[in-house]
Each structure stands twice: as C-alpha cells, then as structure tokens.
Amino acid sequence: MAALLAPTTAHAAPATHIPQQAPGDTVTLPVRDALQALTVQDEIRAGYERSKFKHWTDADKDGCNTRAEVLLAEAVTAPVQGPNCTLTGGDWYSPYDDQYLDSAKKLDVDHLVPLAEAWDSGASAWTPKEREAYANDLDDPRALIAVSAASNRSKADKDPSDWLPPYAGYWCQYLTDWVADKTRYHLSIDPTEQVALAQGLSRCPDQPVTVTLAH
C-alpha cells in the first residue's frame, strides 16, 4: 500500500462530464474517466447506523438470503444446499488475500463499498427501500463479494485511502470495481479517497467499465 500511495505528484485532469443519465441506463467509459466524473466532497458520518441498511433479505423468496446467494454464485466448487439454504462443503477463492477456503463459515460477504462509506457518500439521503436495495445488490457482481472473514474485518468501513487488499495482485481490480460501484449509485468521493484512487489507477490498465445505473 505504501508503494501505491507514494507521493507522486499528479496534475488534476479536467473533469469528465457524462450526459445526464437515469436509473436503468447503462454507461461505458474508461475507469479513469469514470473516476473524474465522480463528485468530490467531504463525507458526513452523522446519523449512520448499520440497521438503516436492511440486509441479507430473500428478495426472490427461494429460501436463500443475499449472503447465501453470493456464496452459491461465487463458489469454485459448489456446496451442498440443505434445508433453509444451509451450505455444507464447497470451496471459495478470497481475492483480497489470495486464499482458498473450504467452508462457508470462513467467509464474509463484503459490501465492496461499505455501508458506512455509502452513507457518508450520499446514501444518507436515500429512502430505506433504496438503502435496502444497495445492501442486497445481486444485479451487479461487483457490489458484493465473498472473501475471508479475516480480510473483510481488517477492511471494516475503510476506503482505499486507508485500506487495500493484502494481496497486491488484486489492487487494480479492487480500485476499478470501487469506482464502478460508486458510479452505479452516484456516490461521491472525498479528497483523500480521490487521490488514492487516482494514484492507484495510474499504475493500472485504463480499462473500460460498464455500469447500469441504480440511482
């Protein structure tokens, strides 16, 4: 992380302007342009409570909640699904720390952009239903990710200026997906977060990201 955030002075690029879009519209642009298009402003944590994001719901009423749906979708070797969507067996890959895990109990399902970070960045103004949709987003595979419990808990609610995955080989994907998620939900970034993202992505391919807007 020290190397990623080394003090390499970068000149601010002109802001990228995306034509006005509505929820449900799809946009595709290079990740650095997507970063430039995000609103930069200070974050406000006042009023945040995790309970304001109702999560691990069973939206399709199939007996498996959001956490289980992610574990089923991301399993390297499929687990056995028992009553009440109890999962036994199976294997998963945790990209944060480059580990394979052989039990669902060893994994957390992480909100890539944490709930508290989303609150700070604009979700405080959303309705409870909008926050519930964010917390259970199965429509964009970047939103929720199964990772080792240890790596997820070391991350907590930090943004990329304070935390990056222990496995450096995943940094570029992590930063790219972070920008995509913030774009999808029209969330802002704070100045230190902007610097960390810009410096990190300057060392990564400027790959295009395609995002279906949710907010």
Side-chain angles (χ1 to χ4, degrees):
M1 183 169 178
L4 180 67
L5 301 182
T8 56
T9 303
H11 297 287
T16 297
H17 297 285
I18 301 174
Q20 187 65 39
Q21 303 283 339
D25 289 347
T26 298
V27 297
T28 300
L29 68 169
V31 63
R32 292 175 202 162
D33 287 353
L35 172 60
Q36 287 293 323
L38 295 175
T39 299
V40 181
Q41 62 186 30
D42 291 334
E43 295 178 351
I44 301 173
R45 180 62 57 93
Y48 170 71
E49 294 175 9
R50 189 172 175 83
S51 61
K52 291 183 177 179
F53 292 80
K54 183 179 179 181
H55 58 288
W56 301 171
T57 59
D58 180 8
D60 60 6
K61 309 300 182 187
D62 68 349
C64 295
N65 66 17
T66 302
R67 169 186 156 81
E69 298 280 13
V70 173
L71 290 171
L72 287 166
E74 297 188 3
V76 176
T77 304
V80 175
Q81 183 178 327
N84 302 315
C85 207
T86 300
L87 305 181
T88 55
D91 291 286
W92 288 265
Y93 176 67
S94 170
Y96 284 2
D97 45 6
D98 192 31
Q99 289 190 43
Y100 283 92
L101 302 167
D102 60 3
S103 170
K105 294 179 180 179
K106 298 178 181 178
L107 293 122
D108 283 349
V109 171
D110 182 37
H111 295 91
L112 186 80
V113 175
L115 301 180
E117 171 70 21
W119 176 271
D120 297 351
S121 307
S124 60
W126 296 354
T127 67
K129 278 295 183 185
E130 288 172 327
R131 288 195 288 269
E132 180 180 339
Y134 176 85
N136 297 276
D137 186 0
L138 293 171
D139 293 327
D140 188 321
R142 294 167 290 207
L144 296 168
I145 182 170
V147 294
S148 71
S151 65
N152 183 48
R153 292 167 198 183
S154 74
K155 173 187 174 182
D157 60 2
K158 301 180 182 74
D159 72 29
S161 66
D162 296 316
W163 186 90
L164 287 172
Y167 177 47
Y170 193 65
W171 285 358
C172 286
Q173 190 66 55
Y174 183 78
L175 296 172
T176 298
D177 290 351
W178 184 280
V179 171
D181 276 8
K182 288 233 160 172
T183 301
R184 174 165 163 77
Y185 282 92
H186 199 227
L187 294 171
S188 63
I189 53 175
D190 67 39
T192 56
E193 181 184 356
Q194 179 193 37
V195 170
L197 289 165
Q199 290 186 352
L201 288 170
S202 71
R203 298 168 172 85
C204 300
D206 192 19
Q207 67 185 55
V209 292
T210 298
V211 179
T212 298
L213 303 179
H215 197 273

